[in-house]
């Protein structure tokens, strides 16, 4: 993993501090492990690593909530291009591939809001991911994945995600993601 001081944040807009942006980018890079496959003995970076490495964070912000201006929400925006290895048999982006990206991207605003307001970012683990697919994403489409927090509790976290085709000006998918912060394992 690259030291946080070496992480380039120059392309990340938004009002999150440079420290929060660096910590977020560094944390996302650490989610891309380099493992050796047990079955083949060859290097393997994990199911989502090849796709996560193609996503670019374009914004990281902490904003007053529209409905409750005394509270804040985290907002993180990613962009990526739909490549051939992301497609299903019909030639559209595979729903499972899109779900994995939503799962990863929609946790980022928890980290930004937690780091900015509590001094520590957190990702949590998924409890529920509810996705509505609105229109297909096609090869070459540029996607904008917009993620905002709904609630950041001490154990329960929730966010919403909208995936837009910038190329075709269409909503591709929307989702609500519920995460939890697991408790420490007790030693038996």
């Amino acid at each position: 993993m690259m030291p946080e001081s070496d992480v380039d944040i120059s392309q990340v807009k938004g009002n999150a501090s440079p420290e929060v942006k660096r910590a977020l980018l560094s944390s996302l890079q650490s989610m891309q492990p380099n493992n050796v496959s047990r079955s083949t003995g060859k290097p393997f970076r994990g199911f989502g690593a090849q796709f996560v490495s193609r996503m670019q964070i374009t914004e990281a912000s902490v904003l007053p909530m529209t409905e409750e201006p005394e509270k804040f929400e985290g907002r993180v925006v990613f962009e990526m291009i739909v490549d051939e290895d992301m497609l299903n048999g019909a030639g559209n982006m595979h729903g499972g591939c899109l779900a994995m990206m939503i799962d990863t991207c929609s946790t980022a605003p928890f980290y930004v809001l937690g780091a900015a307001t509590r001094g520590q970012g957190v990702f949590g683990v998924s409890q529920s991911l509810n996705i509505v697919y609105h229109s297909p994403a096609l090869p070459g489409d540029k996607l904008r994945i917009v993620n905002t927090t709904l609630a950041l509790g001490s154990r329960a976290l929730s966010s919403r995600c909208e995936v837009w085709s910038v190329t075709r000006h269409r909503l591709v998918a929307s989702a609500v993601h519920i995460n939890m912060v697991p408790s420490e394992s007790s030693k038996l």
Side-chain angles (χ1 to χ4, degrees), residues 13-69:
K13 297 177 182 172
N15 69 354
S17 71
E19 295 78 22
V20 168
K21 291 176 184 178
R22 276 191 201 90
L24 173 64
L25 287 170
S26 180
S27 294
L28 289 173
Q29 288 171 353
S30 72
M31 292 177 158
Q32 302 173 28
N34 288 314
N35 298 319
V36 175
S37 171
R38 283 180 256 159
S39 61
T40 66
K42 295 180 181 177
F44 177 70
R45 291 181 33 170
F47 172 71
Q50 64 177 315
F51 301 119
V52 172
S53 66
R54 298 182 213 169
M55 295 186 290
Q56 300 295 314
I57 298 176
T58 60
E59 179 189 343
S61 297
V62 176
L63 306 166
M65 295 180 90
T66 303
E67 299 303 322
E68 188 56 55

Side-chain angles (χ1 to χ4, degrees), residues 173-184:
S174 57
V176 172
H177 193 183
I178 310 297
N179 280 31
M180 65 173 274
V181 178
S183 58
E184 292 289 324

Side-chain angles (χ1 to χ4, degrees), residues 49-111:
Q50 64 177 315
F51 301 119
V52 172
S53 66
R54 298 182 213 169
M55 295 186 290
Q56 300 295 314
I57 298 176
T58 60
E59 179 189 343
S61 297
V62 176
L63 306 166
M65 295 180 90
T66 303
E67 299 303 322
E68 188 56 55
E70 292 181 12
K71 295 191 178 248
F72 293 94
E73 67 182 9
R75 175 182 161 97
V76 179
V77 179
F78 292 81
E79 290 184 351
M80 66 170 307
I81 304 294
V82 177
D83 288 323
E84 289 78 18
D85 60 348
M86 300 175 182
L87 305 181
N88 60 21
N92 303 317
M93 187 174 193
H94 192 285
C97 183
L98 187 55
M100 184 275 310
M101 288 180 208
I102 290 171
D103 178 67
T104 301
C105 294
S106 62
T107 61
F110 303 141
Y111 191 91

Side-chain angles (χ1 to χ4, degrees), residues 2 8-9 32 40 53 74 79 85 99 108 110 114 124-125 129 134-135 175:
M2 218 187 295
D8 180 16
I9 61 167
Q32 302 173 28
T40 66
S53 66
E79 290 184 351
D85 60 348
F110 303 141
V125 296
L129 181 58
H134 301 279
S135 66

Side-chain angles (χ1 to χ4, degrees), residues 118-129:
R118 299 178 181 176
Q120 181 177 4
V122 64
F123 287 108
V125 296
S126 295
Q127 277 191 312
S128 170
L129 181 58

Side-chain angles (χ1 to χ4, degrees), residues 154-182:
S154 61
R155 295 279 316 270
L157 318 165
S158 59
S159 64
R160 69 177 154 249
C161 176
E162 291 182 345
V163 180
W164 290 89
S165 169
V166 175
T167 307
R168 296 179 303 112
H169 308 285
R170 296 185 70 159
L171 181 63
V172 173
S174 57
V176 172
H177 193 183
I178 310 297
N179 280 31
M180 65 173 274
V181 178

